[in-house]
Amino acid sequence: MLIYRPQHVMATGQVLFHRFYCKTSFVRFNVKRIAAACIWLASRQGENPRRARDVINVFKRMEYRRENLTLDYLDASSMKKHPELKMDLIRCEGHILKELAFSCHVEIPHKLMVSYISVLGTHPKLMQESWNLANDSLRSTLCVRLKAEFVACGVVYAAAQRVHVPLPENPPWWEAFEVEKSGIDEVCRVLAHLYSLPKAEYLHVCKEDGSFTTMSLVTIVTHESKATEIGKMKKERLSKEREKIKEKEKGKGKGKGKT
């Protein structure tokens, strides 16, 4: 079973992923779990919600396929591990919302790109090539460094060069969309560098276990110990406040007795 979601949901999840790791470290948070939480958060943000079990099943299947293992779907009724994985998914979502300060609005370049090409009225091949480049641009940090209109114009410009479709240059077509040429050049430079790189390989750098399905006992114990410490601190504070109130009441009673 796969997570068939609209393109804007997948793109939103990728942008949230980039934003999160612009603020924190790959060493601190497991990439696989954060990726799953980004997809889960983006699906609800894009009004196409999926159950946590569906997201967990798909990421488990991807990990098993990468390691050439036999797939055994994770069933909530038969697998005791599922509640723990679901809680871990919720915790990761909480970390994402905290790091982003609950600012999860995302504007992807796909919608702008389609409107720009429709205004220009160019060849249909340009639309498909631009769409492919827009998807590939999400593999880079362009989505967090440049505005969506710059990326949209950049992929249209690069696609036009690849499929040899002429675009208006007198005046330049990008000026109609209030985009500077320097931004377009940056998008083309990043895409060219991206295509020159070798095939990406997963490298585990997180301090926790690299598996998606294996819960880290350190994480569970840390969360539980923190919760117990906070509970003890609250109880101690309440007891001190109650003692202070009792002392004040006793003092008031003694003062009235003397008068």
Side-chain angles (χ1 to χ4, degrees):
M1 181 180 60
L2 299 176
I3 305 180
Y4 290 109
R5 297 288 88 195
Q7 180 64 42
H8 68 89
V9 172
M10 306 304 294
T12 300
Q14 288 177 275
V15 175
L16 293 176
F17 182 86
H18 282 294
R19 285 183 183 178
F20 178 78
Y21 280 110
C22 282
K23 292 179 172 290
T24 187
S25 172
F26 287 101
V27 178
R28 186 180 174 189
F29 294 99
N30 188 302
V31 173
K32 298 177 183 178
R33 294 170 188 161
I34 293 298
C38 287
I39 293 296
W40 193 41
L41 177 60
S43 66
R44 285 176 291 157
Q45 185 177 341
E47 298 182 355
N48 289 277
R50 276 287 191 178
R51 296 176 299 177
R53 185 178 63 184
D54 296 335
V55 178
I56 292 170
N57 283 343
V58 170
F59 274 82
K60 181 172 181 285
R61 177 176 183 175
M62 291 169 59
E63 185 172 57
Y64 274 41
R65 181 179 293 177
R66 184 175 65 87
E67 297 176 358
N68 296 322
L69 299 175
T70 305
L71 179 63
D72 181 19
Y73 279 117
L74 202 143
D75 188 3
S77 61
S78 60
M79 297 292 289
K80 297 180 180 179
K81 195 185 296 183
H82 175 78
E84 297 176 355
L85 291 173
K86 183 177 179 181
M87 287 303 301
D88 192 55
L89 192 66
I90 295 171
R91 290 192 195 101
C92 290
E93 183 188 41
H95 287 307
I96 294 170
L97 294 173
K98 181 181 177 181
E99 291 293 336
L100 301 183
F102 288 84
S103 178
C104 298
H105 174 71
V106 173
E107 187 175 7
I108 60 176
H110 297 69
K111 293 181 180 179
L112 296 174
M113 177 201 68
V114 172
S115 62
Y116 292 169
I117 293 177
S118 62
V119 170
L120 294 171
T122 55
H123 198 275
K125 287 185 178 180
L126 182 61
M127 178 70 75
Q128 184 61 51
E129 187 66 25
S130 300
W131 191 272
N132 296 338
L133 293 178
N135 290 337
D136 291 340
S137 70
L138 295 172
R139 295 165 54 194
S140 68
T141 58
L142 287 172
C143 56
V144 293
R145 294 195 294 114
L146 298 177
K147 293 182 179 179
E149 50 264 28
F150 281 84
V151 179
C153 288
V155 297
V156 172
Y157 183 88
Q161 299 294 322
R162 297 185 70 171
V163 298
H164 305 290
V165 174
L167 296 175
E169 294 184 358
N170 192 17
W173 61 271
W174 55 82
E175 292 183 356
F177 308 116
E178 300 180 354
V179 173
E180 298 177 357
K181 185 63 164 57
S182 59
I184 294 176
D185 292 338
E186 176 64 14
V187 174
C188 295
R189 184 192 68 81
V190 172
L191 288 175
H193 176 69
L194 182 66
Y195 293 138
S196 65
L197 296 175
K199 184 179 179 181
E201 295 183 2
Y202 174 73
L203 179 63
H204 178 65
V205 295
C206 184
K207 293 180 180 180
E208 296 181 0
D209 181 38
S211 173
F212 173 78
T213 56
T214 304
M215 281 290 297
S216 175
L217 293 177
V218 176
T219 304
I220 298 172
V221 172
T222 302
H223 282 287
E224 291 180 352
S225 60
K226 285 183 178 179
T228 52
E229 288 177 2
I230 292 170
K232 289 180 181 179
M233 291 173 64
K234 287 182 177 180
K235 288 181 180 179
E236 291 176 359
R237 188 178 62 185
L238 289 172
S239 61
K240 288 180 180 179
E241 290 178 356
R242 288 172 182 172
E243 289 177 0
K244 289 180 180 179
I245 293 170
K246 288 179 180 180
E247 289 177 358
K248 287 181 180 180
E249 290 178 352
K250 288 181 180 179
K252 289 179 180 180
K254 291 179 180 180
K256 290 180 180 180
K258 289 181 180 179
T259 55

